[in-house]
Amino acid sequence: GESVGLHLPTLSVQEGDNSIINCAYSNSASDYFIWYKQESGKGPQFIIDIRSNMDKRQGQRVTVLLNKTVKHLSLQIAATQPGDSAVYFCAENRGDSSYKLIFGSGTRLLVRP
Amino acid sequence: NAGVTQTPKFRVLKTGQSMTLLCAQDMNHEYMYWYRQDPGMGLRLIHYSVGEGTTAKGEVPDGYNVSRLKKQNFLLGLESAAPSQTSVYFCASSYGLGTATYNEQFFGPGTRLTVL
C-alpha cells in the first residue's frame, strides 16, 4: 500500500490496552471536530465527531474528549485491536460557515500483538 | 451504494503533460472536495464545490482546475503537470447545509500521481 506520513508521530500500544491519541487545534472559533482513520492505501474513514457545545462523545469502543479551554481534542480507543493500526487524523471546521475541514498532520497507531 | 469512487487509481505523467482525475459519488451529496496528501502532512484542500455548476478555491489551488457539470461528478484537471504535484489525491463529498451531518465528509480511495 501507499506510504502515508513517513515522519508521523507514532503511538505503539499492546493489544488489549487503551489508546489515547491527542490533537491540538489553533482556532478558538472552530465549532466542529472529526476524527478520521486512514489505513494504508485507503482513503480516510469517519470514526466519530463532536460539536463545540459538548465535552465528550462516545461511540463503539471510541470516545472523543474536547477541552475548549486549552484547545485540545483526544481520541480514546478501548481494548485496542490489531485492526486499529492506522493513521488517525483530527479535523476541525472553523466556524465560519465555510463547511471546509482543516486537517492535522496525523498520528500513526501501531498495535503490538 | 458504491460511495465515492475515483479514477484512475495510479498515473505517471511527464512534466508538462495534462490529465483529468474523475470523482463520482452516488449519495446525492451537494458538496464535493479535492484534497492532496503528501508524506508527513495531513490533507490539504485544493478546490471544492457546494453544488452543481459551482466551484471555489481551497488552500492550495494553484496549478489545478475543477469542474462540476453534474451533481454526482467532480473533475480535477492538471493543465501542465509539475514534479511538485506528485502526491496522493483524494476526493470527498458531504451533505449540504441544513443537515445535521453536513460536515462529515466521505472519502474515495485515492489516486496516486507521479510526475517525472
Side-chain angles (χ1 to χ4, degrees), chain A residues 25-33 52 71 92-96:
Chain A
Y25 64 95
S26 58
N27 193 327
S28 57
S30 292
D31 62 356
Y32 179 76
F33 305 87
S52 58
K71 295 198 283 291
E92 62 183 298
N93 176 278
R94 292 193 167 167
D96 59 358

Side-chain angles (χ1 to χ4, degrees), chain B residues 85-104:
Chain B
Q85 294 178 303
T86 294
S87 189
V88 181
Y89 291 85
F90 289 99
C91 176
S93 68
S94 67
Y95 292 106
L97 281 174
T99 64
T101 58
Y102 79 90
N103 292 110
E104 180 184 344

Side-chain angles (χ1 to χ4, degrees), chain A residues 2 5 32 36 38 51 93, chain B residues 37 40 50 90 100 103 105 112:
Chain A
E2 293 148 5
Y32 179 76
Y36 281 93
Q38 187 176 27
R51 294 201 178 272
N93 176 278
Chain B
Q37 185 175 40
V50 302
F90 289 99
N103 292 110
Q105 295 180 16
R112 186 179 184 106

Side-chain angles (χ1 to χ4, degrees), chain A residues 63-100:
Chain A
T63 300
V64 55
L65 299 177
L66 175 63
N67 186 330
K68 295 181 285 293
T69 302
V70 295
K71 295 198 283 291
H72 183 268
L73 192 68
S74 69
L75 176 70
Q76 300 179 359
I77 304 174
T80 312
Q81 302 169 359
D84 294 327
S85 292
V87 177
Y88 290 81
F89 293 96
C90 64
E92 62 183 298
N93 176 278
R94 292 193 167 167
D96 59 358
S97 72
S98 67
Y99 29 74
K100 291 182 287 186

Side-chain angles (χ1 to χ4, degrees), chain A residues 51-64:
Chain A
R51 294 201 178 272
S52 58
N53 59 354
M54 302 172 69
D55 297 323
K56 179 180 180 179
R57 191 164 187 222
Q58 289 183 293
Q60 187 177 10
R61 279 200 311 116
V62 294
T63 300
V64 55

Side-chain angles (χ1 to χ4, degrees), chain B residues 23 55 57 61 67 86 111:
Chain B
C23 175
T55 63
K57 294 180 179 180
S67 64
T86 294
T111 295

